[in-house]
Each structure stands twice: as structure tokens, then as C-alpha cells.
Amino acid sequence: MNYPYQVSIIIPFYNVATFIEKSARSLLNQRFESIQYIFVDDASTDISLDLLKRLINEFPNRVEDITILENKSNLGSSGSRNKGLEIVKGKYLTFCDGDDTIDENGVLEMFNAIESSKADILWTDFYYSYPDSEKLSIQAVVEDKNEFIKNLLQEKVHGALWNKLYKFSLFQDHKIKFIPNRDMWEDLYLNIQLFHFATKITYLPKAYYHYVQFNSSSLGSRNNPKKLEDILFHCQAIIEFLAANSNKTYLNEIASLKFAAKQTLLFSTEINSFKRWITIYPEVNDQAFQTNRLPLHLKTIAWLTSKNMWGIIKIWINIKNRKQ
């Protein structure tokens, strides 16, 4: 199949007026020419869209390569990315969030590496970006897709889409898309499928992507009931996909995933949250001291909860409430 572009980038955004100009500038300044840009405005209520349109005027050489989709109502990151998938024209596909940035040589070097290796998926390191500093996150994993999936399930590598470059044919051939209105762990859910169907994967030990950690309005920073429900939904979807396709290859790692899916309930100050924690995937309740995801005090709370020691849990809740 002939593709008009070598690389497509889908950029969903919602109310990122503080970040959109820097983010879009980093994309439009890429040292690689054959890029299709798909910006998806998820019904922003601030001036993000106006700022983007004004910035685009500074890049007349890129205008023909840019499409802006404007959602009439808020669809969330999954629905917005699905809109972008409908018009992709690139041989390869990557993603960027509207508050993050990519180094100007990122797309060029990722493209050269995936082409030379003849891989279906390439992944890189990335930076956690803070107001006054950055932290490099190394994503080194053996270039075996089964091992990579195991590491995804155990959160030993990041489940994001934005530090990876994919052959778009993976999406086309296997009809892979996001589940509408489910906006947490959606990246992980897609990556499990994409890596499963990939024939060859490769790692580029460089970092280009800057993942902003100080946008208080981002979906990932919100703590609400829907966030947990979306995580549990995608956890179950992943379990069902692997059960149908992996011949029990990942049983230990799935147990780890189940524990991770419900762990946010342990940060609560409500007794009902702890009672619910017991009922969700109860078969992994005894794994509290086996996980590296939780500090020791929360591992202890998890163990006490699994033993129905509600008196101690209530004391713990009272202590936390007094500190707040």
C-alpha cells in the first residue's frame, strides 16, 4: 500500500492554552519533512484552538500537512484519537498529547531506526518534565514481544503510546481502535494488542519525548470514580484479550495487573473503598507484600484489609483525615 506520508502524528487536546503553543511548535519544527499532523480539539472551552491556529500561520511550509478536527462535544482522549485514526495517511503512526513536546530530531531518528530495523514497532526512552527539572526514564527491555508484554503488564515499561512508533498497518489489519468514553489505561490496552500482533519490535536507547507532570487539568491528574472504572474496564478487556490469544503465557503478570488496577482504592479515606478493594479480584489480595508499586505502609494497610481488620483500618483513616 502506498502512503502519502511516512509518519502521521495524532495530537488530541483539551483546554491546554498554557501548553499548546510550545507543544505544537515542537511538532512543526521537526527536522523530518514527510509528516501528517492531525490535531483533534476535544471541544475545548479555553483559547487552545485559537492559539494553535495562530501558531500554524508561522509554518506555511507545513499548512498542507495539517488537519484540525473539532469535536462538537467532549469525547475524551479515546474518542478523539479514534477520530484521528480515521484519517491517518502515514506509513507509521505516533501520538503526542497537547501539553507535551518532542525534540526536533525525534521523528527523524525514530523513522530512520524503524526503517533500518524493518520493525513493526519502535519504542524509546523519555523524560518526565517538571517545572524546573526533568527526569530520564530508561525503557530498556529485551527485544522480544512476549517479554515486552510481560513488562507492560508489570508496569516495568511505560504503557504510553507517545514514546513509540507503529506501522499503521497493525491498526488496519487487526481493526485496533480505542474504546469510546474509556480514558484511563487506554494506551496500555492498545499496546497489549499492538505488541501481540507485531512480528518484530525494536528499542532505540534515546529520549525525545517530554512528558509534562505539572498540568493539573489533565485527565491523568484527576482522581474520580470514572478514572477507577475506566482502569478496571481496560484491565478486564486486557485479561480477556490475552485469554483468547496468549495460551496462558502471562498468568503471573496478569495477577500483577489485577493488583495494580485496584490499588488506588488503598489511598482512600473512606471505609467503603477498602471494603470494595477486597471484592475486586480477591484472588490477588495476598500479593500486597510482593508488589513494588506501593510504599510499605500501604502494603501493610492492604494486608490488614485482606484480613478484615477493620478496627485498625478505621484508626488509619482517622489519622489520615486529621493530617489533611
Side-chain angles (χ1 to χ4, degrees):
M1 180 176 178
N2 293 323
Y3 294 96
Y5 294 91
Q6 297 289 3
V7 176
S8 293
I9 307 176
I10 296 176
I11 314 102
F13 65 93
Y14 173 75
N15 286 2
V16 286
T18 305
F19 303 93
I20 189 64
E21 289 178 294
K22 184 178 180 180
S23 177
R25 189 180 298 278
S26 78
L27 294 168
L28 299 174
N29 270 328
Q30 289 297 308
R31 291 172 51 212
F32 190 68
E33 292 299 320
S34 185
I35 301 176
Q36 176 195 21
Y37 299 92
I38 305 172
F39 291 93
V40 188
D41 175 30
D42 195 19
S44 294
T45 58
D46 66 0
I47 61 171
S48 297
L49 182 59
D50 293 335
L51 292 174
L52 174 63
K53 289 180 176 179
R54 186 175 69 186
L55 178 69
I56 287 172
N57 292 329
E58 298 180 22
F59 296 86
N61 60 313
R62 293 290 197 186
V63 170
E64 293 184 359
D65 306 321
I66 298 169
T67 299
I68 300 177
L69 303 178
E70 299 180 38
N71 295 342
K72 294 181 179 179
S73 59
N74 188 269
L75 300 180
S77 60
S78 291
S80 296
R81 286 166 169 170
N82 277 340
K83 289 284 187 181
L85 287 175
E86 293 175 2
I87 62 169
V88 167
K89 297 179 181 179
K91 178 180 179 181
Y92 299 99
L93 173 64
T94 189
F95 297 81
C96 182
D97 291 341
D99 50 359
D100 299 334
T101 60
I102 304 177
D103 292 342
E104 65 178 13
N105 59 331
V107 174
L108 174 63
E109 294 189 12
M110 290 173 72
F111 172 80
N112 287 340
I114 199 170
E115 280 277 286
S116 62
S117 66
K118 294 181 171 54
D120 297 318
I121 304 176
L122 173 142
W123 77 95
T124 70
D125 304 328
F126 66 91
Y127 298 99
Y128 286 105
S129 183
Y130 302 94
D132 300 314
S133 64
E134 289 199 309
K135 179 182 177 182
L136 176 63
S137 180
I138 303 296
Q139 301 290 291
V141 177
V142 176
E143 292 179 332
D144 173 88
K145 70 177 187 180
N146 292 327
E147 289 302 311
F148 194 93
I149 290 172
K150 287 180 180 180
N151 279 270
L152 278 172
L153 293 169
Q154 294 178 306
E155 296 183 307
K156 293 180 179 179
V157 291
H158 203 293
L161 297 161
W162 34 249
N163 68 323
K164 301 174 181 71
L165 188 62
Y166 308 88
K167 271 190 178 178
F168 184 57
S169 58
L170 285 174
F171 289 83
Q172 295 173 303
D173 295 347
H174 303 287
K175 297 180 173 55
I176 295 174
K177 62 180 181 179
F178 299 88
I179 300 173
N181 200 37
R182 297 293 184 179
D183 298 316
M184 293 300 300
W185 281 25
E186 77 282 12
D187 293 24
L188 178 62
Y189 173 61
L190 256 69
N191 269 319
I192 295 295
Q193 298 175 75
L194 290 163
F195 277 88
H196 171 79
F197 289 119
T199 301
K200 183 180 181 182
I201 63 174
T202 191
Y203 167 56
L204 179 61
K206 293 186 177 181
Y208 310 102
Y209 195 91
H210 302 261
Y211 178 29
V212 165
Q213 299 296 291
F214 52 95
N215 180 6
S216 60
S217 64
S218 69
L219 181 65
S221 68
R222 304 171 197 169
N223 191 10
N224 56 48
K226 187 179 184 303
K227 177 177 177 178
L228 175 61
E229 297 310 317
D230 287 356
I231 289 173
L232 293 174
F233 181 93
H234 279 123
C235 180
Q236 190 58 36
I238 290 168
I239 291 169
E240 292 174 3
F241 173 82
L242 292 176
N245 292 281
S246 67
N247 296 319
K248 300 182 179 181
T249 303
Y250 309 106
L251 289 181
N252 292 333
E253 291 76 21
I254 287 173
S256 181
L257 181 76
K258 289 177 178 178
F259 194 94
K262 63 177 186 170
Q263 70 181 19
T264 57
L265 289 166
L266 296 172
F267 292 83
S268 177
T269 55
E270 297 180 3
I271 194 69
N272 286 337
S273 294
F274 292 95
K275 289 182 177 179
R276 189 180 180 200
W277 182 87
I278 292 178
T279 65
I280 299 172
Y281 302 127
E283 65 273 17
V284 300
N285 285 351
D286 291 335
Q287 289 197 2
F289 287 102
Q290 300 174 28
T291 181
N292 293 322
R293 296 184 176 91
L294 295 175
L296 179 60
H297 69 279
L298 286 182
K299 292 180 182 180
T300 304
I301 292 299
W303 182 83
L304 292 169
T305 303
S306 69
K307 304 304 179 184
N308 295 303
M309 295 185 181
W310 300 114
I312 300 177
I313 299 300
K314 288 177 181 179
I315 292 173
W316 165 252
I317 290 173
N318 288 334
I319 293 173
K320 284 192 69 176
N321 284 332
R322 288 174 185 174
K323 289 183 178 180
Q324 292 179 352

